[in-house]
Amino acid sequence: MAFARLKGLVKAPKPPVAAEEAIFSDEEIRKIYQALVPHISSQTFLLQSHKGIRTTSQVLGAIEKAIKSGTSENLPERFTSITTIAKSLDLANEVVENLFPSWKAGDTWGRSGDVIFTQHGYTQVSKELLDQLEKAPLKKRTFCEQQRLSLEILESMIAQYQDSCMDGKNGIPSEYRLEMWERGDYMFTGKFRDSLKETISGRMAAAVEPTRIFPTTKDESMIPQLLVSKIAIELISSGTNTLRGRVWVDGPAIRFTPYDYLLGQRDSFLQEIKNGKRDFLTDSDILAIDIEAQGFREFIASPLGDGGIPFERVAISHKFLEKTVSNTHMALETRGAASLAVFSPDVSIQDLAALSDKVFETLQRSESDLGDVYRTGRLREHYVRKSYHESVKSEVIQLAEAQATSPQTKMIASKVSWPLIVDSVHKTRKGVSETLISSLLSPSIQLSAANAYTLALQSAQEKSQNAFSKFWSTKCLARTRLYLQGIAGLRDARLKKELHRVTLVFLVEKTVPDVIRRAEEADYLHGRAHVRVVDILERQLSALEANLTPPSGSPRAAGEEVDLNGVAEMLEDALSSFSRAVGIEAPGLAIMIEAKRTHLHDTMTSTDKETEPARLFLKLVLVLIACYREGVVHASGRFAPKLMKEMQEKLGEETYDWMRDLRDAARTGTMKPEDMERAKKMIRDAIADWEKGVKTSPVDDGID
């Protein structure tokens, strides 16, 4: 009973059974089908709705119909899809996909993914393709976009169409066979090409002057320009017709100039050359370069005769040659150099060189005194007198020497900057081109200038090193040693310890960094080597500064003692290492004396105008202790009384008592004018006595 019911489902559908009359539910039917399907057939498929089955032959029939005209029962369709076919059959997509035939070249239908291009659509598009090709070339991609086709399907259609055109198959004449253009992207029929060729030929034949032969209508703008250009050139070079002239592209247009017009143009121009109304004529002036295989010179030589001077791609008048020779002669007489100008952008380098030969030959035949003229440049286009050459050589050498010591060079550049040399010479020599100046820089001149540059650079480097050596030795090394010597000579241990720390802080944080800054400003420090050693020294100074003035809250700040002698040694070691790295030796006695003299005189100069009692008293004490002992002392006013006590034996009782009174007056600001003058005189006298003592002492050459 169940098998009979299932068998009935395969046949034409019957009126539905009322729900209350149904023997089995849908779920029961599904289970029965699954149990019996192996006994029925392997070529049946359960509907998606589970209300029946379809056989393989039924599915294949529906697919065949859909390929022909789609799935619509009313109107044939251009497109359908696997999904649409499966839905119309109430089957899963996989069922239709597995049974769908594979597309192969030559099929009159197409497929792109899920989309099916039906045979009906194929016929329609083929007709549309032929209709459009009757009118103009067609771009494949444009046609595919219009018709919603894949390029693969179109290529198949074209292949079948081409095959039909062979020997007139299917009644299609071979003249309708398609031709491709621009890498196969454009297509057109042989008949269209023949028609286009006939149209272009007619326009060229009718032309009596330069004429636009394409495009002349809006429809023609769709035709590839290169195709028309090729057809026109073929017409000229075919040898089977009388068309002669030149085809040329002018933006979107193609133009044709008849040969007879070119001849008339040539003869008119040549007549102007002969009578001197025209200086020169180039091949681009008469547009003749493409005429057959004839070159420019052959095209104009015979009609020009001896009325001008022909070259390969230019002809000049005798008047133009005379004018060029005259201008060159005048420039050589007044400036000593001249250049043959490029009088037209269309002149080739070969013709310019040939013209230069002609000008030089004419100059040599003249009676003027130009026997010392020679030519230079790639085209021999520059004319130079030997005296001018020598003056340029001298100037180039001077400029190279100046360049070696310029601020821009910074005494580290190892080569001459030739563009700067050429630019400088060009600016000083009006009317002379840069190319002429560049051509004069022969290997011998460049070698002389390079040697001069090297010597000047070495001299500048030596002078800079000597100046830096003196500056660094006097301002940094000697001064540091003087301050440390001044501390070493103090007898009061507590005072010595306090001033030792103050002095080291002063040297590390102010004196040495200030000297480095001034050396950089004076451009003594340049190049990678100097930058590297300066960086090392600055990092060492930062470490010493951290030792002397640790951050608040650190263990040392809470009371740990600083090894001042160790800091002093590290400072001297750092300065010595830096000095060795930059090639500076330790200061000798002469430099030490000069540094101390400078320090004392600077103090004396500032004292002459001093009006503040406390500062005057401090300076008096510092000068006296410097003059009586080795080194100098750096101290503030609060240390002045203790420093004065250090000199009590040297000063004598009377002077010491007077200075003690002076100290009290300085504290209260009641120092008398006469006491201030006496203090200033004491400073001057002490320095004078110190200098006398230095002169009577043996002095070395300044080097330890």
Side-chain angles (χ1 to χ4, degrees), residues 463-499:
K463 289 179 181 178
S464 175
Q465 178 65 17
N466 291 338
F468 178 44
S469 179
K470 182 178 180 181
F471 174 81
W472 183 257
S473 295
T474 304
K475 301 298 183 183
C476 186
L477 299 180
R479 186 176 293 181
T480 299
R481 186 178 295 181
L482 286 172
Y483 280 127
L484 294 177
Q485 285 175 349
I487 295 299
L490 297 176
R491 294 191 297 269
D492 186 329
R494 184 174 180 180
L495 174 64
K496 184 176 183 178
K497 181 178 180 180
E498 287 187 88
L499 284 181

Side-chain angles (χ1 to χ4, degrees), residues 215-222:
T216 60
T217 66
K218 184 177 180 180
D219 290 340
E220 287 183 346
S221 62
M222 303 297 294

Side-chain angles (χ1 to χ4, degrees), residues 95-349:
V95 174
V96 178
E97 180 68 53
N98 292 334
L99 294 176
F100 210 87
S102 299
W103 180 88
K104 59 184 181 298
D107 284 343
T108 56
W109 59 277
R111 178 178 179 181
S112 178
D114 186 61
V115 178
I116 308 300
F117 188 57
T118 67
Q119 290 179 349
H120 169 74
Y122 192 95
T123 302
Q124 279 191 323
V125 173
S126 297
K127 183 177 183 304
E128 181 65 26
L129 176 64
L130 295 178
D131 289 345
Q132 292 194 31
L133 286 172
E134 285 283 337
K135 302 172 185 176
L138 193 58
K139 197 170 185 178
K140 290 181 182 178
R141 297 187 184 279
T142 302
F143 185 76
C144 286
E145 290 173 2
Q146 290 174 350
Q147 304 297 327
R148 294 169 55 203
L149 286 180
S150 68
L151 190 60
E152 183 183 30
I153 294 174
L154 179 62
E155 294 288 1
S156 173
M157 294 175 64
I158 292 173
Q160 292 183 54
Y161 177 80
Q162 295 286 63
D163 185 60
S164 299
C165 291
M166 293 295 292
D167 302 324
K169 287 182 181 179
N170 301 325
I172 302 178
S174 59
E175 65 181 11
Y176 283 95
R177 183 172 175 79
L178 296 180
E179 296 183 23
M180 304 300 162
W181 187 255
E182 291 188 7
R183 300 180 182 178
D185 196 27
Y186 276 96
M187 52 187 174
F188 51 88
T189 63
K191 181 179 180 181
F192 174 82
R193 190 184 198 285
D194 293 341
S195 175
L196 179 63
K197 184 175 182 179
E198 183 179 350
T199 300
I200 298 301
S201 176
R203 292 173 185 173
M204 292 169 65
V208 295
E209 60 183 16
T211 302
R212 177 174 176 148
I213 59 173
F214 172 84
T216 60
T217 66
K218 184 177 180 180
D219 290 340
E220 287 183 346
S221 62
M222 303 297 294
I223 302 174
Q225 188 184 63
L226 284 176
L227 172 62
V228 179
S229 177
K230 182 179 179 181
I231 289 173
I233 293 173
E234 286 175 353
L235 287 169
I236 292 174
S237 59
S238 63
T240 58
N241 58 55
T242 58
L243 290 177
R244 298 180 68 195
R246 185 184 181 202
V247 173
W248 48 292
V249 176
D250 181 19
I254 296 177
R255 301 185 185 277
F256 172 69
T257 303
Y259 187 68
D260 289 342
Y261 179 87
L262 289 171
L263 293 179
Q265 186 185 49
R266 175 200 66 183
D267 295 342
S268 175
F269 286 156
L270 291 180
Q271 185 59 41
E272 292 179 354
I273 291 286
K274 292 177 181 179
N275 59 31
K277 291 183 179 180
R278 190 182 186 92
D279 287 337
F280 57 87
L281 178 69
T282 67
D283 58 358
S284 63
D285 290 327
I286 56 176
L287 305 174
I289 198 64
D290 287 338
I291 298 176
E292 299 175 344
Q294 189 178 34
F296 172 81
R297 188 164 188 159
E298 291 74 18
F299 187 61
I300 60 138
S302 178
L304 178 63
D306 59 0
I309 305 168
F311 297 101
E312 289 304 315
R313 297 181 63 179
V314 66
I316 64 172
S317 67
H318 291 292
K319 185 176 180 180
F320 179 71
L321 176 62
E322 293 170 3
K323 181 170 62 175
T324 302
V325 171
S326 176
N327 291 340
T328 303
H329 184 279
M330 184 179 299
L332 288 169
E333 289 284 357
T334 56
R335 293 196 296 265
S339 296
L340 184 65
V342 180
F343 52 89
S344 170
D346 299 311
V347 177
S348 66
I349 57 174

Side-chain angles (χ1 to χ4, degrees), residues 31-46:
K31 291 180 179 179
I32 294 172
Y33 171 77
Q34 289 177 341
L36 296 178
V37 74
H39 305 287
I40 302 172
S41 172
S42 62
Q43 300 298 315
T44 57
F45 306 98
L46 182 64

Side-chain angles (χ1 to χ4, degrees), residues 352-376:
L352 198 61
L355 177 58
S356 179
D357 293 340
K358 194 76 174 177
V359 171
F360 190 63
E361 177 188 333
T362 308
L363 278 172
Q364 288 182 317
R365 290 201 306 265
S366 66
E367 298 179 357
S368 58
D369 183 21
L370 293 175
D372 64 339
V373 174
Y374 74 95
R375 290 190 294 163
T376 183

Side-chain angles (χ1 to χ4, degrees), residues 14-28:
K14 295 181 179 181
V17 181
E20 59 274 10
E21 298 176 2
I23 302 175
F24 301 109
S25 67
D26 290 346
E27 179 62 21
E28 289 173 329

